[in-house]
Amino acid sequence: MKKNGNHSSGPGGGDEGGDENKLIAERRAKLAELRRAAGAGGAYPNDFRRDALAGELQAAYGERSGEWLEANPTRVHVGGRLMFKRLMGKASFAKIADRTGQIQLYLQQETLGPVYEAFKGWDVGDILGGSGLLFRTRTGELSVRADELRLLTKSLRPLPDKWHGLADTETRYRRRYVDLIMSDTSREVFRTRAHIVRYLRDFLDALDFLEVETPMMQPIPGGAAARPFRTHHNALDLDMYLRIAPELYLKRLIVGGLDRVYEINRNFRNEGLSTQHNPEFTMLELYLAWADYRDIMDWVEKATRGLADTLNGRLQLTCQGRQYDLAQPFRRVTVEQAIVESNPGIDPLSLRDATYLRKRCDQLGIAYSSDDGPGKLLIGLFEKTAESALLDPTFVFAYPVEVSPLSRPNDADPFIADRFEFFIAGREIANGFSELNDPEDQAARFRAQAARKEKGDEEAMFYDADYVRALEYGMPPTAGLGVGIDRLVMFFTDSPSIRDVILFPHMRPEA
RNA sequence: GGGGCGUUAGCUCAGUCGGUAGAGCAUCGGACUUUUAAUCCGCUGGUCGACGGUUCGAUUCCGUCACGCCCCA
């Protein structure tokens, strides 16, 4: 605890963190002086309005010559955060940043008088508003010759080094606001994220899909194999779960005749954190009646390509140092083919033989339980040995029915379901299948899942009687898809960690 | 859960074979009326992540813990 800063309203910054320091103390003293001298608007006025944005000015006048600007006097009111300050005696330069970019102000003592003297005490990080005529400096930078300048918001905390920015990953995630102030690329990631989501909405809206919202708090968590978060509804005295997937609700809507529905929202899974897992993550799920999984694969391919084209204007891009050409047709292989490719010497004819698979799993150190049949063992093998090799966009299909309790079995081969997963850069991006709409088969699958859960498999599904009842009313032949939006954004923004594409990723509380 | 690495000034980082620490930038004071990581002069600024052990002495060595990053399960 240090001196200073004891305004009644002020949390004092150091009440818990104790991170007050000399720099902050200096700024608090400046703020105290501002409060003393402040007029009607106080130290935090809100009566300045901009009529121009930095990026727009750069775009509109960046090419204009100094002569042109002089011949066509253009007055602008700009505002933003002071990112750069250079005092040179009786004249100074300042750069302010708004959401579109930066613009330089040229300040002269002669013009500004006492405001110029005040400016000398303002700090990088403060928020200013100013107005004046556009001109071009001797070195050619478009600037505003300010004849009015105001400090609108005093910043009490120093920003990171202008040149190095904020390098510490922990601080970037914990204080995303500072990261966003300092890093153009970070801001760009989240703009791209928004563009991706908008593209997908437009894509589906154009196909006459209906965007819907289904419960995030569910009495029975379903639609995926995952451990849920629990919560409690006090008034109903009811334990509830944060959803692990919206699937079973969305398919109820297909039963209801909506035919084409999607939802983009958060799922919650009570699992570990990694570069590819955040406890809450964003999923696009869609369901399409009168279609099968192959139709969905075609759409995924089309949308992925369309995204690249919309975001970058081209189908070639780089992710983590590797080139991707989305113009090439996306590969389609079965689970078993993918395993054979990644496991030289494996016997392709024994991939449904549990004894053989257990032996392979033992050799590779893949854990399994005694209840696991060949389908589960096969997927264990696939995930361990084949997934990370799937760099170019690849559809892997023919997943075992055993691990696909909501998927329609293949007509010709009852071992597999009409299901695929979509991989890019070794990461699962999407999962889709022809939906199981046989209520009696679904009931049997739920019973099998419930039995596994009884035996301690925490990821096994609950029996959802209302969902079975819905299917008993009749669900038309349907295909569905889930897309991991965060991972898709990682690919298109070349981000190595899911935390780079989530504004506020989950962290342990600060010490 | 296991392994590796990290945590030093506001930021980015050095460093101390154990004797309580330094640079650049920022801040603060001064000079400078078109700068571009401006320049010049001067001064500040640290519980070296936390706790314990060894030691005359620990930021440094050892242990435990916290937080983070990476890899594995």
Side-chain angles (χ1 to χ4, degrees):
Chain A
M1 301 296 271
K2 295 194 176 179
K3 49 166 186 186
N4 215 325
N6 292 323
H7 294 285
S8 55
S9 61
D15 53 59
E16 302 250 325
D19 63 346
E20 290 284 316
N21 59 51
K22 184 184 158 195
L23 299 177
I24 295 176
E26 283 166 1
R27 292 181 178 213
R28 284 196 191 283
K30 290 175 181 176
L31 174 59
E33 181 52 35
L34 283 172
R35 290 189 199 280
R36 247 192 305 281
Y44 291 87
N46 187 355
D47 59 345
F48 180 88
R49 292 296 177 265
R50 307 186 283 201
D51 59 17
L53 293 169
E56 293 170 1
L57 292 175
Q58 301 289 1
Y61 300 99
E63 302 299 312
R64 295 295 188 183
S65 67
E67 294 73 33
W68 188 93
L69 290 169
E70 209 160 311
N72 300 271
T74 308
R75 167 163 293 277
V76 296
H77 291 72
V78 292
R81 190 182 296 276
L82 181 63
M83 297 304 289
F84 169 97
K85 183 186 171 195
R86 179 165 297 155
L87 298 179
M88 294 182 309
K90 298 184 176 61
S92 295
F93 290 96
K95 263 181 201 167
I96 57 171
D98 62 31
R99 69 176 185 273
T100 64
Q102 298 193 353
I103 185 90
Q104 181 170 261
L105 309 179
Y106 180 59
L107 316 172
Q108 291 169 294
Q109 184 182 53
E110 193 179 12
T111 311
L112 292 165
V115 173
Y116 185 83
E117 296 309 311
F119 169 78
K120 288 181 181 175
W122 298 353
D123 294 293
V124 168
D126 288 351
I127 294 172
L128 319 180
S131 62
L133 298 180
L134 287 176
F135 78 111
R136 195 171 282 282
T137 64
R138 192 177 291 163
T139 53
E141 178 156 353
L142 182 68
S143 305
V144 177
R145 191 189 305 274
D147 50 39
E148 184 209 352
L149 190 66
R150 294 177 62 195
L151 172 57
L152 303 173
T153 304
K154 183 68 198 165
S155 169
L156 295 177
R157 286 178 178 266
L159 291 174
D161 190 286
K162 170 181 57 186
W163 193 245
H164 298 99
L166 191 54
D168 183 68
T169 48
E170 181 175 357
T171 311
R172 286 209 304 124
Y173 299 148
R174 289 196 193 277
R175 305 190 196 177
R176 181 67 85 184
Y177 38 89
V178 179
D179 179 41
L180 292 171
I181 289 169
M182 298 306 297
S183 169
D184 297 339
T185 54
S186 185
R187 284 196 300 277
E188 193 54 32
V189 162
F190 294 103
R191 267 193 208 103
T192 300
R193 182 179 175 118
H195 289 161
I196 288 170
V197 172
R198 190 187 316 139
Y199 174 88
L200 294 171
R201 282 207 165 93
D202 290 346
F203 184 93
L204 294 171
D205 291 347
L207 291 165
D208 199 28
F209 272 79
L210 184 69
E211 182 173 9
V212 298
E213 294 175 81
T214 64
M216 316 264 286
M217 296 166 63
Q218 305 178 347
I220 300 173
R227 294 173 61 179
F229 286 94
R230 291 158 168 268
T231 186
H232 186 78
H233 191 296
N234 288 340
L236 297 178
D237 190 21
L238 175 67
D239 283 332
M240 301 193 81
Y241 302 86
L242 302 186
R243 76 178 184 194
I244 54 176
E247 174 157 353
L248 301 185
Y249 286 93
L250 290 170
K251 287 196 282 195
R252 283 171 170 98
L253 299 178
I254 299 296
V255 171
L258 299 185
D259 275 5
R260 295 184 172 202
V261 295
Y262 74 95
E263 177 164 8
I264 298 176
N265 219 321
R266 226 67 62 80
N267 289 346
F268 306 85
R269 296 186 184 175
N270 207 338
E271 296 164 350
L273 289 75
S274 79
T275 51
Q276 288 166 73
H277 297 86
N278 195 61
E280 57 180 299
F281 62 98
T282 301
M283 185 95 115
L284 159 66
E285 278 206 20
L286 67 87
Y287 292 87
L288 170 66
W290 313 99
D292 68 22
Y293 75 111
R294 287 166 301 191
D295 302 309
I296 302 284
M297 285 196 280
D298 292 341
W299 279 10
V300 169
E301 185 159 351
K302 190 178 168 198
T304 304
R305 223 168 255 141
L307 260 177
D309 187 40
T310 300
L311 295 172
N312 307 321
R314 56 207 299 264
L315 299 181
Q316 292 73 36
L317 67 148
T318 303
C319 185
Q320 299 301 290
R322 190 178 185 279
Q323 303 291 320
Y324 291 85
D325 184 359
L326 303 184
Q328 301 298 318
F330 292 3
R331 215 158 75 92
R332 302 187 182 200
V333 296
T334 65
V335 172
E336 290 172 55
Q337 283 166 347
I339 288 173
V340 169
E341 283 175 15
S342 293
N343 292 272
I346 202 166
D347 177 10
L349 299 179
S350 300
L351 293 180
R352 298 181 183 187
D353 175 344
T355 308
Y356 179 80
L357 290 168
R358 269 194 286 269
K359 202 167 68 189
R360 290 305 287 210
C361 286
D362 289 339
Q363 286 166 359
L364 292 161
I366 300 168
Y368 55 84
S369 93
S370 55
D371 311 326
D372 292 349
K376 189 91 188 267
L377 295 165
L378 189 72
I379 286 304
L381 197 56
F382 170 76
E383 288 176 350
K384 169 85 174 186
T385 64
E387 250 187 45
S388 61
L390 301 171
L391 298 173
D392 286 317
T394 303
F395 293 103
V396 177
F397 65 100
Y399 275 68
V401 165
E402 185 185 342
V403 296
S404 311
L406 303 169
S407 305
R408 186 178 189 281
N410 183 265
D411 291 333
D413 180 354
F415 181 77
I416 59 171
D418 285 339
R419 173 183 171 194
F420 71 89
E421 287 192 356
F422 178 54
F423 293 85
I424 305 182
R427 288 192 285 259
E428 179 197 339
I429 302 290
N431 174 24
F433 40 87
S434 300
E435 303 300 333
L436 178 60
N437 64 343
D438 174 344
E440 295 180 344
D441 190 354
Q442 184 66 75
R445 307 261 201 116
F446 275 150
R447 280 193 293 272
Q449 286 288 313
R452 287 191 68 102
K453 187 167 278 297
E454 283 290 306
K455 288 187 176 177
D457 181 350
E458 295 191 77
E459 293 192 347
M461 293 178 183
F462 289 84
Y463 191 103
D464 189 330
D466 179 70
Y467 177 67
V468 172
R469 180 167 61 190
L471 292 185
E472 286 169 353
Y473 280 93
M475 181 168 80
T478 296
L481 173 73
V483 180
I485 297 297
D486 309 277
R487 291 180 185 174
L488 193 64
V489 175
M490 286 170 69
F491 176 66
F492 280 110
T493 57
D494 195 5
S495 298
S497 171
I498 197 168
R499 298 178 199 101
D500 296 321
V501 304
I502 292 174
L503 281 166
F504 299 100
H506 282 282
M507 310 274 284
R508 288 181 202 275
E510 285 181 81

